[in-house]
């Protein structure tokens, strides 16, 4: 895993995009603060920029780098969730503008998966995560299901966990507004 971490960090710092394992499914990622890198991810996925992507963080400190205010229900959901949960929160900052949804929200997920966690720890930055597929196609359930077009379109493919076939599921998505309104988007 160390070689992958070094190479992935190098590519992300240069504005490149990577294909990597997350706490859910395989993802395409980049430095979440780099608008040009984010644009490359949208282009590879053939996805409209109005459809936002998820940003991964590895702890409270990184979460507060992106949001001034985090509603109390968000903390409760993160503490009680047994499976990976993505939260859509209001008024993000310090991320590429093309990641922010038209309603001034951003989807974010706190990860514990070792590769993602260590990569962000090394970079001291959050990273984008979006399913490793062309927009509108089915999300791959394992590395072997990722299309050659996606694999060829990234700057680096992480080797760690490529052999796994455990059929992970995408995260639950819950929107929580600053006035504490909670809406389940995906179970």
């Amino acid at each position: 895993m160390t070689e992958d971490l070094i190479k992935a960090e190098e590519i992300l710092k240069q504005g490149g995009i990577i294909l990597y394992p997350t706490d859910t499914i395989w993802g395409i990622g980049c430095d979440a603060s780099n608008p040009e890198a984010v644009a490359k991810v949208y282009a590879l996925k053939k996805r409209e920029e109005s459809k936002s992507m998820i940003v991964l963080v590895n702890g409270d400190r990184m979460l507060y780098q992106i949001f001034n205010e985090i509603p109390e229900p968000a903390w409760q959901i993160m503490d009680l969730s047994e499976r990976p949960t993505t939260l859509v929160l209001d008024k993000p900052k310090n991320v590429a503008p093309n990641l922010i949804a038209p309603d001034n929200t951003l989807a974010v997920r706190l990860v514990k998966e070792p590769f993602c966690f260590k990569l962000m720890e090394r970079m001291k930055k959050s990273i984008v995560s979006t399913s490793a597929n062309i927009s509108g196609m089915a999300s791959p359930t394992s590395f072997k299901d990722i299309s050659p077009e996606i694999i060829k379109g990234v700057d680096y493919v992480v080797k760690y966990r490529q052999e796994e076939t455990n059929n992970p599921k995408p995260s639950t998505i819950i929107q929580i507004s600053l006035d504490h309104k909670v809406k389940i988007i995906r179970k």
Side-chain angles (χ1 to χ4, degrees), residues 42 49-52 88 92 97-107:
Y42 277 118
E49 284 202 18
S50 61
K51 293 186 176 187
S52 54
V88 179
N98 48 349
L99 281 175
I100 300 171
D103 64 354
N104 199 24
T105 61
L106 180 71

Side-chain angles (χ1 to χ4, degrees), residues 76-132:
Q76 294 167 352
I77 289 168
M78 285 187 284
D79 287 344
L80 298 173
S81 293
E82 292 184 13
R83 60 181 272 218
T85 301
T86 298
L87 301 177
V88 179
L89 303 174
D90 293 331
K91 299 182 179 177
K93 61 179 184 171
N94 300 326
V95 295
N98 48 349
L99 281 175
I100 300 171
D103 64 354
N104 199 24
T105 61
L106 180 71
V108 65
R109 186 167 73 244
L110 183 66
V111 295
K112 296 177 179 86
E113 192 283 329
F115 181 82
C116 294
F117 188 91
K118 288 178 181 170
L119 180 58
M120 288 183 280
E121 190 174 62
R122 291 174 68 96
M123 290 183 55
K124 297 179 180 29
K125 288 185 170 192
S126 55
I127 56 177
V128 167
S129 180
T130 183
S131 57

Side-chain angles (χ1 to χ4, degrees), residues 20 22 54-58 62 109 111 116 120 126-127 129:
Y20 68 108
T22 73
I54 296 170
V55 172
L56 302 180
V57 297
N58 70 355
M62 202 171 276
R109 186 167 73 244
V111 295
C116 294
M120 288 183 280
S126 55
I127 56 177
S129 180

Side-chain angles (χ1 to χ4, degrees), residues 31-74:
D31 172 351
S33 65
N34 184 327
E36 292 82 15
V38 171
K40 289 180 192 176
V41 175
Y42 277 118
L44 176 60
K45 283 187 64 78
K46 300 177 183 167
R47 182 179 181 138
E48 296 172 38
E49 284 202 18
S50 61
K51 293 186 176 187
S52 54
M53 296 185 283
I54 296 170
V55 172
L56 302 180
V57 297
N58 70 355
D60 297 358
R61 178 178 286 157
M62 202 171 276
L63 198 55
Y64 276 114
Q65 288 173 352
I66 299 175
F67 299 97
N68 282 329
E69 195 176 340
I70 300 162
E72 186 55 38

